[in-house]
């Protein structure tokens, strides 16, 4: 059975290891290998959002829920990350810098049960391409909410300071679109 508090404590211990990302990836992979257990603990996703499970200078653990058909602009973390999907699907587009803009450099679809690492220099955008909520546990090797990150304008692909409030508005707008669409069905 997945226990959120036990998972957080295990990750906190692993964060002190020499290869914390690898150790935590193994812990997260084991957790999402039984997605039904994670769902029992965290609940069936019904609203998009960034839900903190743990936050400190050296480690942040989030339960991120993507609304159906939601997209989040390109952004970086400036720290390693691991994404473990426990329901739905998350499509990542990876970007590389070209002059003062970025261009697409690759992609990876993450499905239920996947636990994938991201390097500290990765720039990615995220899309939930399916018509149901996607839930994932995201573990970061630092304080996810600290300053010093970037995001890229989704149209011009130019860099700007990351704005967590803007990201929260993207989640709120996705929830509003989902709610409005329920009436049309």
């Amino acid at each position: 059975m997945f226990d959120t508090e036990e998972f957080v404590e295990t990750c906190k211990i692993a964060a002190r290891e020499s290869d914390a990302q690898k150790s935590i990836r193994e812990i997260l992979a084991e957790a999402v290998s039984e997605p039904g257990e994670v769902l029992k603990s965290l609940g069936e996703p019904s609203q998009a959002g960034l839900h903190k499970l743990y936050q400190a200078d050296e480690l942040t653990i989030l339960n991120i829920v993507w609304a159906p058909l939601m997209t989040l602009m390109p952004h970086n973390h400036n720290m390693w990350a691991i994404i473990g999907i426990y329901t739905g699907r998350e499509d990542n587009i990876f970007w590389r810098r070209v002059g003062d803009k970025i261009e697409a450099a690759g992609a990876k679809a993450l499905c239920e049960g996947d636990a994938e690492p991201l390097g500290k220099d990765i720039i990615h955008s995220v899309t939930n391409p399916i018509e149901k909520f996607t839930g994932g546990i995201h573990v970061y090797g630092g304080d996810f909410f600290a300053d010093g990150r970037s995001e890229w304008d989704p149209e011009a692909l130019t860099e700007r300071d990351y704005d967590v409030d803007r990201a929260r508005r993207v989640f709120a707008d996705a929830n509003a679109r989902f709610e409005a669409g329920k009436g049309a069905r």
Side-chain angles (χ1 to χ4, degrees):
M1 169 138 189
F2 179 81
D3 179 276
T4 304
E5 289 180 21
E6 183 179 313
F7 174 78
V8 168
E9 290 304 313
T10 303
C11 287
K12 285 166 58 177
I13 292 166
R16 295 187 288 250
E17 294 181 15
S18 61
D19 193 349
Q21 184 180 22
K22 181 179 179 194
S23 297
I24 292 173
R25 187 210 169 271
E26 291 172 6
I27 294 163
L28 185 53
E30 183 177 333
V32 298
S33 72
E34 297 201 34
E37 296 299 317
V38 179
L39 276 170
K40 283 181 195 173
S41 180
L42 297 177
E44 184 73 37
S46 60
Q47 199 167 49
L50 302 167
H51 311 285
K52 286 184 209 174
L53 301 178
Y54 179 78
Q55 179 186 2
D57 289 344
E58 71 286 344
L59 187 70
T60 303
I61 304 172
L62 303 174
N63 174 25
I64 298 183
V65 176
W66 307 103
L69 309 175
M70 177 183 175
T71 297
L72 188 64
M73 71 204 77
H75 61 279
N76 63 15
H77 302 129
N78 290 334
M79 64 189 83
W80 58 257
I82 308 153
I83 301 166
I85 303 299
Y86 63 88
T87 188
R89 190 172 115 206
E90 177 184 309
D91 286 359
N92 289 265
I93 297 174
F94 300 108
W95 303 83
R96 69 174 157 242
R97 293 176 185 271
V98 177
D100 64 347
K101 293 188 177 191
I102 56 173
E103 68 179 14
K108 179 138 181 128
L110 302 180
C111 299
E112 185 177 288
D114 289 340
E116 291 294 324
L118 298 178
K120 73 178 199 73
D121 297 322
I122 293 292
I123 300 167
H124 73 135
S125 55
V126 181
T127 298
N128 173 9
I130 61 177
E131 293 190 8
K132 74 174 210 173
F133 285 93
T134 290
I137 298 173
H138 295 228
V139 182
Y140 301 91
D143 184 352
F144 177 84
F145 297 98
D147 291 336
R149 298 175 48 214
S150 295
E151 64 187 17
W152 281 259
D153 177 272
E155 188 171 344
L157 298 177
T158 53
E159 189 172 7
R160 61 188 181 201
D161 289 340
Y162 182 80
D163 182 345
V164 73
D165 291 328
R166 184 180 3 250
R168 285 188 172 118
R169 284 191 302 276
V170 170
F171 282 87
D173 291 348
N175 284 323
R177 280 192 305 279
F178 175 76
E179 288 300 318
K182 283 183 6 184
R185 292 182 190 151

